[in-house]
Amino acid sequence: MTVLHSVLTAASELAAVIPAQLPDPAPTQPPGTEAVTTILGWAKWVGLVVCILGLIAAGTLMAVQSRRGEGGEHVGKIGMALGGVIVISAAVALVGFISGA
């Protein structure tokens, strides 16, 4: 049991020392990649437009089918479209959170 305790103690001391010695440089955009930012902006805009069109289509189908008594089937579609809007809008924050930046 003492061997395990000494190994765990040594591992915790090593884990405390290593992060202090590793450099943490700030992220910088490489030269010549400004077009990537433009493409990402366009992709975000197109994604949001598609989500808005999906919401409009789901609402239209709900209105038409509610006259026939089938209006409740599209609630899931609206939820998925709203989920897409949230993911697209928060993409930068989500990637930063996942990557630990």
Side-chain angles (χ1 to χ4, degrees):
M1 199 68 165
T2 59
V3 174
L4 179 63
H5 178 68
S6 62
V7 168
L8 290 175
T9 304
S12 68
E13 290 173 2
L14 181 63
V17 171
I18 289 178
Q21 295 175 354
L22 293 177
D24 187 20
T28 58
Q29 185 174 359
T33 59
E34 292 79 20
V36 173
T37 307
T38 303
I39 292 171
L40 289 174
W42 289 353
K44 184 177 179 179
W45 185 84
V46 168
L48 289 174
V49 167
V50 168
C51 288
I52 290 169
L53 291 174
L55 285 171
I56 292 170
T60 304
L61 286 173
M62 276 182 67
V64 168
Q65 291 188 352
S66 69
R67 301 286 249 162
R68 298 183 210 164
E70 308 169 344
E73 299 173 0
H74 299 289
V75 174
K77 292 179 183 178
I78 290 176
M80 293 296 285
L82 290 174
V85 169
I86 291 169
V87 170
I88 292 168
S89 299
V92 174
L94 287 172
V95 170
F97 175 73
I98 292 170
S99 70

